[in-house]
C-alpha cells in the first residue's frame, strides 16, 4: 500500500497514515470488508516502526472505520456512511441552536481527552478476553431464583407491585438491608435506609446535595471513575490523596483539610476501586477523627465490602461514626446483579430527609417491582449462602490471576494482592504506559481498564486495573499470557 509520508510534516507519522487511510475509506477506495495489511507488513513497507502503524490502526478503530478480528486481521468496517453522518452531527456544532452550542462549551465533561479516547477503545474491543469491566461473573448470577421471585411477587401483590412505592424504598427491603448490615457488624435501623437506583445514584444524590461549583472534595487518587464523573460535572475541585498497601495515606489528610477546606470526603475504604487495597483500621480511626474535627462529612462507598476472601475485616466508618458524620453507600450490583439497580444510603439526621427529597425530585422512587422481588429473594441466610458461593469462585480466580501474572508477565511487573473485591492493580515494568500498550493488547486479544481512567489529574499511567472475578481460571491464564505477549511485542515495536 503506497502511503505518502512526509517526515518534515509537523503531523506525526501515525497521524499521516491514519488520515490517508481514513480518506481512502471515506471515498470508498477501500471498501467495507477490505483486509488491511498487517502492522508488521505495512511497517516494513513504509519504513516505520510497528507501533506507528498500530497507533494509526487504533485511532481508526476508535473512529469506527476499521475493526480487528482476532487471529484473522484488520478490516474496513461496515456502515461507514452512517458513522460519517453521526460524526458530522457530533463534531460540527454550527447547525445546532445556540443554547445547545452553549451547553457544550460550558460542560466540563464534553471536552475530548486522551482519557475519553481510551474509554472509546475499551468498547471497541471485540473478541477479546476482557478484564476491564467492574462487575462480578455472570455465571454466578442467581437468574432462576430471581425469576421465581418476580413471579411470586406478581402473584402475591398484583398491581401493587406495578405501582409507585414509598420514596425512601420498600419498607421490608429496607428492613432486610438493615438486617444484612447489622449481621455484618454495622448496626443499622430500617428508618435510616434510603433505597436508590444503584449506588451511582446514591453518589450523585449526595454530591448534588452537599457540593456546589468551586467546592473541593477529598478523595483517594486513583479512585472510582464514576464518582469522579459526578464531581467533574458539578465543577468540583478534586483533592487527591495517594494510596498505598494500607489504602488512602491519611497522614497527609490534615494538611489538605486545613488548606483546601473540602466540603466532603469520598472514600472507597474496602477493596478499593481500582487498587483492591483496604484502608487500615488505624487510618480509619484517624480519618474519622479528622472529619469530626474539621466538620467534613465522610461518604463511605462500600461497593464490594462483603466479597472478602482472606485477611481481617476492618470496622466500617459507619460503626466508628460519633453521630451523623458518615453517609454510608452500598449496592447489590457486585454481590448480586448490576441490572437490579438497587443501591442504598444509610445516614442519620436531617441529611437523610434532604436526600429523600432529592430522590423524589430525581425519579419518584426506585422500581417497586424489583425492590419487592429482591426482598422476597433475599433473606440474611440466603444472602450469606450466595456470598459464600461467590467468594469461593472469586478467591480461586484471584489466585489463578496472580499465578498467571507471576508466570507470564515480564520481570519488574508489580501488583496488589487483594483480600477481596474484584480487582488487581498492576503496574507495568519500567513505567511503560498502559494507555499506549492498549491497542497492542487488543490486537493480541486481551483488554483491561487503563490506569489513567482512575486518576483525576493524569492523562497517562503505567497502571492497569484487572478484574479477576469475571472469567474461569483457564481463560484468565490465556488472557494474562496474551497480555505478557503484548508487552513483549510493544517493547519490540518501540525499539524498531
Ligand atoms: N461505587 C463503586 C466504587 C463502583 O465501582 C461502582 C460501579 N462500578 C459503583 C459505586 C456504582 O455501582 P452501582 O450503581 O451499580 O451500584
Amino acid at each position: 500500500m503506497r502511503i505518502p509520508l512526509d517526515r518534515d510534516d509537523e503531523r506525526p507519522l501515525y497521524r499521516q497514515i491514519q488520515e490517508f487511510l481514513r480518506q481512502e475509506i471515506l471515498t470508498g477506495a477501500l471498501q467495507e470488508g477490505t483486509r488491511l495489511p498487517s502492522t508488521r507488513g505495512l511497517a516494513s513497507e513504509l519504513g516505520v516502526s510497528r507501533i506507528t502503524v498500530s497507533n494509526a490502526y487504533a485511532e481508526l478503530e476508535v473512529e469506527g472505520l476499521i475493526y480487528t478480528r482476532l487471529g484473522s486481521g484488520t478490516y474496513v468496517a461496515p456502515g461507514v456512511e452512517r458513522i460519517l453522518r453521526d460524526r458530522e452531527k457530533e463534531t460540527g456544532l454550527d447547525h445546532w441552536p445556540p443554547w445547545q452550542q452553549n451547553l457544550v462549551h460550558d460542560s466540563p465533561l464534553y471536552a475530548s481527552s486522551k482519557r475519553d479516547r481510551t474509554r472509546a477503545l475499551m468498547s471497541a474491543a471485540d473478541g477479546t478476553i476482557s478484564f476491564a469491566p467492574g462487575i462480578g461473573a455472570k455465571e454466578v448470577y442467581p437468574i432462576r431464583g430471581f425469576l421465581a421471585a418476580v413471579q411470586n411477587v406478581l402473584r402475591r401483590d398484583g398491581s401493587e407491585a406495578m405501582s409507585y412505592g414509598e420514596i425512601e424504598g420498600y419498607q421490608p427491603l429496607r428492613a432486610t438491608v438493615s438486617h444484612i448490615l447489622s449481621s455484618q457488624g454495622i448496626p443499622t435501623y430500617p428508618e435510616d435506609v434510603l433505597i436508590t437506583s444503584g449506588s451511582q445514584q446514591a453518589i450523585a444524590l449526595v454530591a448534588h446535595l452537599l457540593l456546589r461549583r468551586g467546592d473541593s472534595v477529598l478523595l483517594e487518587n486513583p479512585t472510582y471513575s464514576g464518582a469522579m464523573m459526578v464531581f467533574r460535572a458539578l465543577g468540583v475541585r478534586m483533592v487527591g490523596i495517594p494510596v498505598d498497601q494500607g489504602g488512602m495515606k491519611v497522614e497527609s489528610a490534615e494538611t489538605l483539610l486545613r488548606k483546601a477546606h473540602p466540603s466532603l470526603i469520598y472514600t472507597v475504604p474496602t477493596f478499593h476501586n481500582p487498587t483492591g487495597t483496604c484502608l487500615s483500621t488505624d487510618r480509619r480511626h484517624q480519618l474519622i477523627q479528622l472529619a469530626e474535627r474539621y466538620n467534613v462529612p465522610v461518604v463511605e462507598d462500600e461497593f464490594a465490602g462483603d466479597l472478602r476472601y482472606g485477611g481481617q475485616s476492618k470496622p466500617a466508618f459507619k460503626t466508628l461514626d460519633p453521630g451523623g458524620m458518615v453517609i454510608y453507600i452500598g449496592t447489590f450490583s457486585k454481590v448480586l446483579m448490576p441490572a437490579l439497580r438497587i443501591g442504598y444510603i444509610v445516614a442519620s439526621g436531617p441529611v437523610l430527609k434532604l436526600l429523600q427529597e432529592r430522590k423524589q425530585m430525581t425519579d419518584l422512587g426506585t422500581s417497586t417491582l424489583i425492590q419487592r422481588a429482591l426482598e422476597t429473594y433475599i433473606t440474611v441466610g440466603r444472602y450469606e449462602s450466595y456470598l459464600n458461593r461467590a467468594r469461593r469462585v472469586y478467591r480461586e480466580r484471584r489466585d489463578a490471576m496472580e499465578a498467571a501474572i507471576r508466570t507470564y508477565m515480564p520481570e519488574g511487573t508489580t501488583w496488589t494482592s487483594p483480600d477481596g473485591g474484584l480487582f488487581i492493580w498492576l503496574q507495568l515494568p519500567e513505567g511503560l504506559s498502559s494507555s499506549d500498550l492498549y491497542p497492542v493488547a487488543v490486537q493480541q486479544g486481551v483488554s483491561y481498564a487503563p490506569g489513567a481512567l482512575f486518576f483525576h489529574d493524569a492523562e497517562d499511567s503505567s497502571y492497569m486495573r484487572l478484574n479477576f472475578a469475571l472469567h474461569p481460571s483457564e481463560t484468565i491464564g490465556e488472557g494474562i499470557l496474551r497480555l505478557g505477549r503484548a508487552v513483549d511485542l510493544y517493547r519490540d515495536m518501540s525499539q524498531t
Side-chain angles (χ1 to χ4, degrees):
M1 185 174 278
R2 290 194 191 170
I3 302 181
L5 294 180
D6 179 357
R7 286 166 205 276
D8 295 329
D9 193 323
E10 59 184 23
R11 291 171 308 156
L13 291 173
Y14 83 91
R15 185 68 78 201
Q16 294 182 44
I17 298 172
Q18 175 197 355
E19 285 173 6
F20 178 87
L21 288 174
R22 184 203 287 133
Q23 188 65 14
E24 295 284 289
I25 294 170
L26 296 182
T27 54
L30 279 173
Q31 291 198 344
E32 171 182 335
T34 306
R35 185 163 183 226
L36 296 181
S38 68
T39 49
R40 186 190 296 276
L42 189 56
S44 86
E45 198 181 322
L46 299 175
V48 298
S49 76
R50 278 183 75 189
I51 194 92
T52 301
V53 178
S54 278
N55 281 339
Y57 280 11
E59 295 283 335
L60 289 164
E61 201 155 346
V62 172
E63 292 186 81
L65 295 175
I66 65 172
Y67 66 97
T68 302
R69 200 182 294 147
L70 191 61
S72 163
T74 304
Y75 298 85
V76 176
V80 165
E81 272 174 35
R82 186 184 43 74
I83 290 169
L84 250 185
R85 269 200 315 275
D86 289 353
R87 221 176 20 157
E88 220 170 79
K89 272 193 217 148
E90 256 178 42
T91 50
L93 287 173
D94 294 351
H95 61 287
W96 296 114
W99 68 268
Q100 291 223 33
Q101 297 180 31
N102 294 342
L103 260 186
V104 171
H105 292 136
D106 291 347
S107 166
L109 288 182
Y110 206 85
S112 159
S113 67
K114 186 165 181 177
R115 204 180 287 127
D116 295 328
R117 292 213 309 277
T118 311
R119 209 186 292 278
L121 261 172
M122 283 167 65
S123 55
D126 191 20
T128 57
I129 297 174
S130 177
F131 297 124
I135 52 175
K138 296 209 171 89
E139 63 271 25
V140 186
Y141 293 173
I143 304 290
R144 235 180 290 141
F146 197 71
L147 174 65
V150 173
Q151 286 171 333
N152 289 342
V153 162
L154 285 173
R155 236 179 267 127
R156 186 192 69 189
D157 302 342
S159 54
E160 269 304 294
M162 290 302 189
S163 186
Y164 289 121
E166 305 95 310
I167 292 301
E168 58 274 28
Y170 181 52
Q171 206 287 329
L173 179 62
R174 292 160 70 214
T176 304
V177 167
S178 71
H179 287 150
I180 289 175
L181 289 177
S182 300
S183 74
Q184 315 278 349
I186 307 170
T188 308
Y189 303 102
E191 312 81 83
D192 290 345
V193 177
L194 168 64
I195 302 290
T196 55
S197 300
S199 53
Q200 183 66 30
Q201 186 183 49
I203 296 169
L205 291 176
V206 171
H208 279 89
L209 180 67
L210 297 182
L211 300 171
R212 298 284 167 274
R213 182 175 287 272
D215 284 354
S216 297
V217 51
L218 209 64
L219 35 58
E220 284 113 359
N221 192 29
T223 191
Y224 168 49
S225 51
M228 287 197 288
M229 201 178 197
V230 174
F231 299 140
R232 231 176 248 130
L234 280 170
V236 165
R237 198 163 73 88
M238 289 181 258
V239 180
I241 303 189
V243 170
D244 65 16
Q245 288 293 339
M248 179 200 281
K249 291 167 125 175
V250 171
E251 300 71 29
S252 53
E254 179 150 23
T255 317
L256 295 173
L257 280 162
R258 231 185 285 127
K259 272 203 219 144
H261 304 293
S263 308
L264 187 152
I265 299 171
Y266 168 78
T267 174
V268 185
T270 313
F271 313 133
H272 175 244
N273 181 3
T275 65
T277 55
C278 275
L279 189 61
S280 71
T281 304
D282 280 354
R283 283 177 169 175
R284 286 173 194 242
H285 282 285
Q286 282 166 29
L287 192 61
I288 193 79
Q289 280 164 13
L290 285 173
E292 198 185 10
R293 191 173 323 140
Y294 287 87
N295 187 34
V296 185
V298 175
V299 176
E300 175 174 32
D301 182 351
E302 193 79 336
F303 79 117
D306 289 343
L307 291 173
R308 172 175 294 283
Y309 323 124
Q312 298 285 303
S313 64
K314 316 273 189 297
F317 278 107
K318 192 76 196 129
T319 45
L320 304 177
D321 189 353
M325 290 303 299
V326 176
I327 298 174
Y328 180 97
I329 289 176
T331 177
F332 287 100
S333 287
K334 311 296 158 167
V335 171
L336 278 175
M337 302 174 281
L340 297 172
R341 306 310 302 130
I342 304 272
Y344 47 88
I345 294 174
V346 184
S348 43
V351 69
L352 186 64
K353 183 94 192 54
L354 293 166
L355 286 167
Q356 282 171 7
E357 274 176 20
R358 293 262 159 183
K359 171 74 179 159
Q360 180 161 22
M361 283 182 244
T362 309
D363 65 3
L364 300 179
T366 294
S367 161
T368 317
L369 173 64
I370 300 295
Q371 288 191 68
R372 286 176 188 239
L374 179 60
E375 193 273 327
T376 60
Y377 176 74
I378 214 147
T379 55
V380 173
R382 208 189 239 170
Y383 185 73
E384 274 301 325
S385 74
Y386 179 79
L387 253 184
N388 285 336
R389 180 158 158 250
R391 282 184 187 132
R392 206 170 343 101
V393 173
Y394 296 166
R395 179 187 295 121
E396 191 188 305
R397 293 180 179 187
R398 175 202 59 187
D399 295 345
M401 184 171 277
E402 284 204 65
I405 292 172
R406 254 179 250 117
T407 312
Y408 300 122
M409 290 303 286
E411 211 176 303
T413 305
T414 55
W415 65 96
T416 55
S417 181
D419 281 336
L422 304 170
F423 309 122
I424 283 178
W425 185 237
L426 180 142
Q427 187 173 27
L428 292 167
E430 298 150 19
L432 291 178
S433 156
S434 68
S435 304
D436 291 346
L437 172 70
Y438 197 84
V440 184
V442 170
Q443 274 175 349
Q444 288 304 304
V446 63
S447 76
Y448 51 80
L453 297 177
F454 305 98
F455 290 95
H456 67 80
D457 54 357
E459 285 281 296
D460 213 343
S461 165
S462 56
Y463 289 94
M464 64 176 71
R465 190 191 74 181
L466 298 168
N467 181 328
F468 57 77
L470 269 181
H471 303 289
S473 302
E474 313 79 67
T475 315
I476 291 175
E478 173 62 27
I480 301 295
L481 172 91
R482 292 179 190 180
L483 187 61
R485 223 190 271 145
V487 175
D488 290 345
L489 209 66
Y490 175 78
R491 281 170 155 172
D492 285 353
M493 290 193 293
S494 318
Q495 279 156 17
T496 324

